[in-house]
Amino acid sequence: MSTIAESARIHPMAVVEDGATIGEGVKIGPFCHVGPHVVLHENVELLAHAVVTGRTVIGKGTRIFPMAVVGGDPQSVHHAGEETTLSVGANCTIREGVTMNTGTADFGGQTIVGDNNLFLANSHVAHDCRVGNHVIMSNNVMLAGHVVIEDRVILGGGSAVHQFTRVGRQAFVGGLSAVSYDVIPYGMLNGNPGLLSGLNVVGMTRAGIDRAVIHRVRRAYKAIFEGTASVRENAAAIREEYGDCAEVMQILDFIAAESDRALSSPTRGQKG
């Protein structure tokens, strides 16, 4: 049997399968479909024709717009029907035609989306992705499997992120860009192939980061990508100098971390 709070409002032409859990204040519009293993926390709203399926949990206050399909099976040839999950956080906006898939058994079986995110029309979150908080995915953005998107990233319309790629905190990816390699925190990437074109200074300023700190991050960026040694060696060489700057240390820790992908740079992937 379903567990449905008394204050939930379910349109008579919606389908809520037995076993679903529907929290206080939830609104489910006409022609919506809620699967038997779904949990909708308080004040979630599903507009007409939204589908939430699979073993999916939707956080409080999240709104899902028409024709979105949240919790579908992973689009992977290795998926054999295992019981994998999708978790979406609180206060997200999931616009028309968005798709989000559950995880795959070989990689822990979880796709995880954080709080206060905006997913514009027809964007896609594939299996086993990790999306942080306050992320904006513009129209038609595509995340392949196992992608990590850290907090406050903005992805421009039509951009595509290669599987297993990381995009660091508060990075900006321009529209129609191909993200084939990891993007450092606060980085700005544009083009196809995507090239690192500096720092997201506008985003840093809007986030209230002090101008003097931004200048230090710029100096560190120059030392990392214009130094005489490799990027990782350059980054290691300045660690002590910037130990008191949290923003630079986030970049250095990101570079030092293990990853399946190389790092985006101002030149990596250029032809010729």
Side-chain angles (χ1 to χ4, degrees), residues 35-36 40 119 137 222 226 238 255 257:
L40 304 180
F119 301 90
M137 286 176 50
K222 185 174 181 179
E226 297 181 14
I238 66 171
I255 292 172

Side-chain angles (χ1 to χ4, degrees), residues 56-75:
T56 298
V57 177
I58 306 295
K60 64 181 182 180
T62 287
R63 300 182 75 210
I64 303 178
F65 280 68
M67 312 310 294
V69 180
V70 179
D73 285 348
Q75 298 177 72

Side-chain angles (χ1 to χ4, degrees), residues 117-227:
N117 297 315
L118 174 58
F119 301 90
L120 296 186
N122 300 307
S123 54
H124 174 64
V125 178
H127 58 86
D128 305 292
C129 284
R130 301 290 187 269
V131 178
N133 305 314
H134 300 282
V135 169
I136 298 175
M137 286 176 50
S138 301
N139 296 64
N140 303 301
V141 169
M142 298 170 285
L143 304 185
H146 315 281
V147 165
V148 176
I149 305 292
E150 295 186 353
D151 294 350
R152 298 187 182 277
V153 167
I154 297 176
L155 295 153
S159 56
V161 185
H162 191 284
Q163 62 184 0
F164 293 101
T165 298
R166 300 176 298 150
V167 180
R169 176 184 176 84
Q170 213 164 315
F172 179 89
V173 174
L176 301 178
S177 295
V179 187
S180 298
Y181 305 107
D182 292 349
V183 181
I184 61 169
Y186 309 104
M188 179 175 289
L189 183 135
N190 288 283
N192 184 2
L195 299 177
L196 199 62
S197 56
L199 295 171
N200 182 18
V201 174
V202 172
M204 296 172 76
T205 302
R206 289 175 176 171
I209 297 175
D210 188 78
R211 182 178 296 273
V213 172
I214 293 174
H215 286 317
R216 291 195 74 191
V217 179
R218 278 177 158 165
R219 288 195 295 271
Y221 176 93
K222 185 174 181 179
I224 292 166
F225 291 103
E226 297 181 14

Side-chain angles (χ1 to χ4, degrees), residues 1 6 17 21 38 45 59 73 78 83 101 135 137 158 160 164 180 188 194 197 199-200 207 229 254 256 259-260:
M1 294 291 293
E6 289 187 7
E17 295 196 42
T21 300
V38 168
E45 182 176 5
D73 285 348
H78 303 293
E83 294 180 349
N101 297 157
V135 169
M137 286 176 50
F164 293 101
S180 298
M188 179 175 289
S197 56
L199 295 171
N200 182 18
F254 185 92
S259 177
D260 292 291

